[in-house]
Amino acid sequence: MKHTLTHPFYRVTEAAAIAGFQWLGRGDKNLADGAAVDAMRRQLNTMSIDGTIVIGEGEIDEAPMLYIGEKVGQSDGVQIDIAVDPIEGTRMTACGQTNALSVMAVAEAGTLLHAPDMYMEKLIVGPQAKGVIDLHLSLEENLHLISQALQKPLSALTVSILDKPRHAPIISDLYKLGVRVFTFPDGDVSASLLTCFPAQPIDVMYGIGGAPEGVISAAAIRALGGDMQARLLTREQVKGASPEHQHASIAEIGRCKAMGLTLGNVLQLDDLAKNDNVLFCATGITGGDLLEGIEVSGSSITVHSLVIDGQQRTTQWLKTTHRLTP
């Protein structure tokens, strides 16, 4: 992957964030997401790349989303894998809440996990706890191992987790263990990355969220020197038995088999992102823990982006002002 692509790729998340921002506080997350998808696709298709969406917002029959297997770019450049989430936090955007982002990860062709858009269990830590996590063990056992690696007691450990009904028993157990628990409403990419920034209070990110966000997070975590394990789960496993969930789960199992994946297998970081030659880009839509949000002043829009380059081992915080054409 050529590193001259760094500049165009953060322009992709910028374009998606600005498009989604137009629907900020409008109460319709689908319109916000659709606008971001269209902007991201347009920007990608102007680039001299031969790109494939390896994990995105759905399958080919769910177009116009950026679907799994979709080809983007001018097909005359470097072959790359792309994992996208045009808006991580569509509900936050629709409701005018914090921590909405546009995110993507880019890597050499064949190096990012190719998986369906389904649920994924994730356990993520920063560089100091790299190599000690194991999803074959219970969460409590993992927390004890992480505590030892970080040389701090459980009472000083902070775990971030999605505030969802499926996590209610886990959150209760975490309180009983005495760890600090930071809950967040939606979107776990920013929470995942915060484990790798020493100035932030998050030691561990755990929970069940979307697989696209998981692969995007994995690329960033690899580039930042952290660690991650994951496991693909069906909708029935996560949301319980019902005819609708069973039907969806059968389809998910079929797509996993077609992609050579085995449900229930623990995926190591190397399975999610195979080498360090990865690029992560994010642009804030609304302000949050990771990035500031979009600012509009007169005829200009200012955006804040984060670019993490795994091969160069660099992290860039970018502020860009776009002057609008009258």
Side-chain angles (χ1 to χ4, degrees):
M1 187 173 64
K2 297 178 181 177
H3 288 287
T4 52
L5 293 175
T6 301
H7 178 81
F9 277 116
Y10 81 79
R11 294 296 189 197
V12 175
T13 57
E14 280 189 356
I18 291 170
F21 180 79
Q22 308 308 313
W23 294 95
L24 180 69
R26 304 288 185 184
D28 194 322
K29 66 178 186 178
N30 293 326
L31 287 176
D33 198 40
V37 167
D38 289 343
M40 184 172 273
R41 176 183 279 124
R42 283 196 302 270
Q43 192 73 19
L44 284 168
N45 282 335
T46 66
M47 299 171 66
S48 293
I49 57 171
D50 184 359
T52 302
I53 305 297
V54 296
I55 190 161
E57 296 208 316
E59 310 301 325
I60 190 167
D61 59 352
E62 294 179 10
M65 311 313 261
L66 279 160
Y67 60 83
I68 297 166
E70 180 174 354
K71 302 293 291 184
V72 292
Q74 297 290 313
S75 300
D76 59 352
V78 61
Q79 292 185 332
I80 55 173
D81 285 350
I82 305 173
V84 299
D85 193 354
I87 297 183
E88 194 213 19
T90 53
R91 189 181 64 81
M92 281 111 78
T93 302
C95 298
Q97 297 174 340
T98 59
N99 281 314
L101 306 169
S102 175
V103 295
M104 68 184 301
V106 182
E108 296 173 351
T111 60
L112 292 182
L113 180 73
H114 188 185
D117 181 5
M118 58 190 298
Y119 282 107
M120 177 183 277
E121 181 185 14
K122 310 162 197 178
L123 178 61
I124 299 172
V125 292
Q128 287 183 290
K130 184 176 177 65
V132 306
I133 58 174
D134 186 353
L135 268 182
H136 293 100
L137 303 176
S138 69
L139 179 58
E140 180 177 350
E141 290 172 302
N142 273 287
L143 292 177
H144 280 288
L145 292 170
I146 295 165
S147 173
Q148 292 169 17
L150 298 182
Q151 296 184 334
K152 59 168 66 174
L154 277 181
S155 59
L157 210 63
T158 302
V159 179
S160 64
I161 187 169
L162 277 167
D163 188 9
K164 300 290 185 184
R166 60 180 174 267
H167 291 149
I170 299 169
I171 292 170
S172 177
D173 289 341
L174 290 171
Y175 287 138
K176 291 174 184 175
L177 282 174
V179 302
R180 292 192 184 98
V181 181
F182 287 6
T183 61
F184 51 101
D186 286 298
D188 54 21
V189 173
S190 59
S192 299
L193 267 64
L194 293 177
T195 63
C196 293
F197 294 121
Q200 296 294 334
I202 307 298
D203 298 305
V204 187
M205 203 292 291
Y206 175 77
I208 298 169
E213 292 87 348
V215 175
I216 293 167
S217 295
I221 296 301
R222 171 138 200 163
L224 290 168
D227 203 2
M228 174 177 179
Q229 290 191 6
R231 187 159 34 205
L232 292 169
L233 303 173
T234 66
R235 190 179 305 183
E236 191 172 23
Q237 287 176 298
V238 175
K239 306 195 81 168
S242 76
E244 179 187 358
H245 295 161
Q246 185 179 40
H247 178 76
S249 297
I250 290 170
E252 289 167 345
I253 292 167
R255 291 197 294 271
C256 282
K257 287 181 178 178
M259 295 177 185
L261 300 170
T262 303
L263 278 170
N265 276 8
V266 172
L267 300 166
Q268 307 289 329
L269 185 58
D270 285 349
D271 299 316
L272 299 161
K274 295 185 187 303
N275 62 43
D276 292 339
N277 197 9
V278 293
L279 192 70
F280 169 88
C281 304
T283 301
I285 300 172
T286 59
D289 299 311
L290 188 66
L291 284 163
E292 295 182 47
I294 291 175
E295 304 161 12
V296 179
S297 177
S299 60
S300 66
I301 293 180
T302 299
V303 296
H304 302 266
S305 298
L306 169 63
V307 179
I308 303 170
D309 188 321
Q311 190 172 63
Q312 299 295 323
R313 299 190 179 280
T314 58
T315 299
Q316 299 179 74
W317 304 89
L318 308 173
K319 179 180 178 179
T320 307
T321 297
H322 298 267
R323 286 179 291 277
L324 305 178
T325 302

